Amino acid sequence: MSHLSRAAYKEQLIIFDARTERLLRTGRRRSQKSVERDCDFTEHVVKNNHKMSKDNEADLKDVELNDLDQEKQPMTGVDTSNADGISPTGTEKNGCVKVKIPDEEESKFTGLSKEELLKVAGTPGWVRTRWALLVLFWLGWLGMLAAAIAIIIQAPRCKPLPKMNWWNHGPLYQIGDLKSFTEAENLRGVEEKIDSLNQLKVKGLILGPIHVTTADQWQSLNFAEIASEAGNLEQFKSLLRAAHKKGISVVLDLTPNYKGKEPWFADVNITAVGDKLKSALVFWLEEGVDGVLLSGIDRVPSKIPSRWEDIRAIVKNGTKGENRALFGVTETTSAVEVLNFLNTSKVDLLLSGVLRSNRNSGTNCAQDLQLLYSSQNQSHLAWNLGDRAQGHIASVVGPNLVPLFQILLFTLPGTPVFNYGDEIGLEDEGTKFPKMLWDSSESAKDTNGTAKERELRRAFFHTLSDLRGKERSLLHGDFQLLHNSTSSLAYLRQWDQSERYLAALNWGAEPETLNLSSPGLPAQATVRVNTNKKQSESLVDLATLKLEPGQAVLLSFKVEG
């Protein structure tokens, strides 16, 4: 062992012997067994402090005994009767004292007692503090209230929503021939398909005509009786209840001579037909129909003006105080004539051939749209391409352009009207009333496509119908023309702070690039609907928007700021 280690050990022993002497001088007596235990503790401490090995322990003990022989002194006041207190050599051994110093306990703050709190709470200093905090709280609250009021006052006010009728909330679906629509070929079959119409977000069903009549014989006309091949009154009531449960209104087509050449028979019979119609309207309105459609009414208001006013009054006043609709159909394709007839007939919606005449020219279509929109409230504008007399969209514009014109009808300001089967691109084949193809018709793999293709077309229609019914900009937003050419058209629908929608269409035979950069438009817009399935871009540049032949896209973007 090094000299330093022995010296340190010796110093420890001297310290403990000194403590022992002090305890003896003060009269404290310790047993030899306690002393030995304390000494053992001392040796344990020294061994741990200096990390002594077992080989050096024997040498260390020899050194300790030699060094401490002269320091041994007889212990006084020790009970010699205790054998444990006598060393084996007969000599008494100096003891070591272990002093236990208690650890300081952590002081824990237990808070003030109830009595102390009550005593402190009544002091003047604490009362002043409480009042100061209370005043600061209410000042802060009033400040936040004033700031909120200022923000509300300075914020731009939301544009009030226009008054809307049920026929403005979504597309109308026309079933002109019940035999062709379902396998049941009657009103019961139509009721069985109400769920399918509801899935397409249809808001109105135009049904029939289904009343009794003989072609070109006005005496056989009976508006209040349902033709036996169409069903009966109980079936009609059941259909009406089923449609109303799904939120679908029912409009009854009461075109008088729907089986003959002239919709209202000959001119000399218009007065008598008008009288029959008036009494029948009361009957059907009491049964719960939501509206009436009349075709070929171009000359009726001018031929029988008083009776026409009565017809309008009966429909509009109704019998239950509900909002009933009077729809008209005209064969005219002139936007000017359509506008004039809307003003004179005062029908709620007028179906016309305006879009059919301009389907190949974006410039002419844009002019007619601007004229009608600027002169009429859009709640009275109806848009259609096919109908009971003209057939289906696929036959009017061609099967490849059906998705393009569906986008057009759904995004124009007004009510879109579709013929049954337009959602799947149904084509006329020698008749204006082709058989409707449902999902179960796997055998029909002609130009109308397979069941899977028809399901994809139905999903496309549903997407557009859903957007039309829930997006305010498409529902009643303003119309702004952005671009038009011989074969292309682009326009914007916008409402207040709602998301904007931009429709761009190219029905030409060549690709066309549109430059839609203008104030108020962002650099890019999000693609919501695209007729070109090969394109997968989610964002497009409006300054260089390229459309392939027959392609249409519906884009959207948020309002900046």
Side-chain angles (χ1 to χ4, degrees):
M1 177 179 288
S2 65
H3 176 70
L4 181 60
S5 297
R6 289 195 295 269
Y9 180 76
K10 181 178 178 180
E11 183 179 356
Q12 292 288 340
L13 292 177
I14 293 173
I15 291 172
F16 280 100
D17 285 345
R19 290 178 179 173
T20 302
E21 291 297 329
R22 285 197 298 271
L23 289 173
L24 291 174
R25 284 196 299 268
T26 57
R28 292 187 179 179
R29 301 180 64 184
R30 296 175 57 88
S31 66
Q32 185 62 28
K33 184 176 181 180
S34 176
V35 172
E36 287 178 353
R37 186 169 61 251
D38 291 340
C39 290
D40 292 339
F41 171 77
T42 302
E43 290 178 359
H44 177 71
V45 171
V46 174
K47 289 176 185 178
N48 289 338
N49 289 338
H50 296 282
K51 299 179 181 178
M52 298 176 64
S53 65
K54 292 182 180 180
D55 293 335
N56 293 331
E57 286 180 4
D59 296 336
L60 179 59
K61 290 178 180 179
D62 292 338
V63 173
E64 290 171 353
L65 292 173
N66 293 332
D67 291 341
L68 296 177
D69 278 343
Q70 296 178 357
E71 297 179 10
K72 281 185 173 181
Q73 298 294 335
M75 294 183 66
T76 59
V78 178
D79 188 1
T80 56
S81 63
N82 184 4
D84 294 337
I86 302 174
S87 65
T89 58
T91 58
E92 294 175 347
K93 184 177 180 181
N94 288 337
C96 298
V97 178
K98 177 181 178 182
V99 180
K100 183 176 181 182
I101 302 176
D103 296 333
E104 292 186 3
E105 295 184 359
E106 268 188 48
S107 59
K108 296 183 180 179
F109 179 73
T110 59
L112 299 176
S113 64
K114 179 179 179 181
E115 292 75 12
E116 291 172 330
L117 285 172
L118 292 175
K119 182 178 180 181
V120 173
T123 59
W126 177 239
V127 172
R128 288 193 296 269
T129 302
R130 283 189 301 174
W131 275 106
L133 292 174
L134 185 62
V135 171
L136 288 175
F137 168 79
W138 283 109
L139 288 175
W141 187 88
L142 291 174
M144 290 188 292
L145 179 61
I149 294 174
I151 292 173
I152 294 173
I153 293 175
Q154 295 178 0
R157 294 185 178 181
C158 294
K159 192 174 180 179
L161 296 176
K163 181 182 178 181
M164 297 185 66
N165 303 295
W166 61 260
W167 57 87
N168 302 131
H169 287 275
L172 304 181
Y173 194 90
Q174 187 170 15
I175 304 175
D177 185 74
L178 275 60
K179 290 183 178 181
S180 303
F181 186 64
T182 66
E183 295 179 356
E185 300 183 351
N186 56 19
L187 292 167
R188 182 79 66 191
V190 177
E191 181 181 347
E192 292 172 354
K193 298 300 181 181
I194 287 296
D195 284 338
S196 297
L197 300 182
N198 185 49
Q199 291 172 4
L200 295 177
K201 306 295 182 179
V202 169
K203 297 302 179 184
L205 175 62
I206 302 176
L207 192 65
I210 57 174
H211 56 266
V212 171
T213 186
T214 302
D216 302 323
Q217 297 180 15
W218 72 271
Q219 295 89 346
S220 65
L221 179 62
N222 187 349
F223 286 110
E225 183 180 352
I226 297 176
S228 58
E229 63 268 20
N232 53 53
L233 185 59
E234 290 304 317
Q235 290 180 353
F236 180 82
K237 291 180 178 180
S238 180
L239 168 62
L240 199 64
R241 290 191 295 268
H244 287 169
K245 285 181 180 180
K246 297 295 182 180
I248 299 175
S249 300
V250 177
V251 175
L252 192 59
D253 189 338
L254 291 179
T255 302
N257 190 27
Y258 66 94
K259 293 182 179 180
K261 295 179 181 179
E262 295 293 332
W264 286 71
F265 299 96
D267 287 348
V268 295
N269 306 125
I270 291 182
T271 301
V273 172
D275 289 338
K276 284 191 173 185
L277 178 61
K278 287 168 54 177
S279 59
L281 286 175
V282 176
F283 170 78
W284 286 115
L285 292 173
E286 288 180 347
E287 292 297 336
V289 297
D290 302 287
V292 173
L293 180 139
L294 299 171
S295 298
I297 59 173
D298 302 69
R299 298 188 305 273
V300 175
S302 60
K303 289 286 184 179
I304 49 172
S306 60
R307 285 172 174 79
W308 181 253
E309 288 299 320
D310 292 340
I311 291 171
R312 286 188 59 253
I314 292 172
V315 174
K316 298 309 296 181
N317 294 335
T319 57
K320 298 180 181 179
E322 298 175 0
N323 194 9
R324 310 300 178 90
L326 177 60
F327 298 161
V329 180
T330 177
E331 297 303 320
T332 182
T333 60
S334 168
V336 175
E337 292 181 7
V338 168
L339 181 61
N340 292 333
F341 192 69
L342 275 170
N343 293 330
T344 56
S345 67
K346 297 180 181 180
V347 293
D348 296 301
L349 285 178
L350 181 64
L351 283 69
S352 69
V354 171
L355 290 182
R356 286 195 299 272
S357 65
N358 296 319
R359 64 180 184 273
N360 295 321
S361 174
T363 301
N364 294 339
C365 184
Q367 292 174 352
D368 289 343
L369 291 175
Q370 289 281 58
L371 174 63
L372 292 171
Y373 178 73
S374 61
S375 306
Q376 276 287 333
N377 190 306
Q378 61 176 290
S379 62
H380 298 301
L381 298 177
W383 305 107
N384 66 296
L385 284 162
D387 57 20
R388 189 175 182 278
Q390 298 298 324
H392 293 78
I393 293 179
S395 298
V396 174
V397 303
N400 294 331
L401 291 180
V402 169
L404 180 147
F405 281 97
Q406 286 179 347
I407 290 180
L408 178 67
L409 293 175
F410 272 116
T411 57
L412 287 177
T415 300
V417 183
F418 295 93
N419 204 354
Y420 78 94
D422 282 344
E423 69 273 20
I424 61 172
L426 187 65
E427 295 184 60
D428 301 328
E429 298 176 351
T431 174
K432 296 297 191 297
F433 306 109
K435 194 70 176 179
M436 178 63 177
L437 300 175
W438 298 100
D439 297 341
S440 60
S441 304
E442 284 291 347
S443 59
K445 296 182 179 180
D446 50 8
T447 55
N448 294 292
T450 64
K452 183 176 181 181
E453 291 172 346
R454 293 195 298 272
E455 186 60 33
L456 292 175
R457 293 173 184 175
R458 189 176 285 109
F460 183 86
F461 186 96
H462 169 269
T463 299
L464 289 171
S465 185
D466 187 51
L467 288 172
R468 168 63 174 74
K470 70 181 183 181
E471 295 294 336
R472 288 184 175 180
S473 291
L474 294 176
L475 197 59
H476 43 240
D478 297 326
F479 174 85
Q480 179 184 350
L481 186 65
L482 299 177
H483 165 88
N484 68 89
S485 69
T486 303
S487 59
S488 61
L489 180 69
Y491 51 88
L492 181 68
R493 299 295 309 280
Q494 55 186 342
W495 177 262
D496 200 23
Q497 302 301 309
S498 300
E499 189 173 11
R500 269 67 165 146
Y501 280 83
L502 190 156
L505 311 94
N506 175 27
W507 49 75
E510 299 294 332
E512 188 163 351
T513 300
L514 310 184
N515 181 0
L516 302 180
S517 59
S518 64
L521 292 180
Q524 292 184 320
T526 302
V527 178
R528 302 298 295 271
V529 180
N530 190 352
T531 60
N532 191 338
K533 300 177 182 178
K534 297 180 180 179
Q535 293 183 355
S536 58
E537 297 93 343
S538 59
L539 291 174
V540 295
D541 295 327
L542 296 182
T544 57
L545 179 60
K546 184 178 180 179
L547 298 177
E548 298 296 329
Q551 182 183 4
V553 293
L554 181 60
L555 312 173
S556 69
F557 58 90
K558 302 288 186 181
V559 182
E560 295 183 359

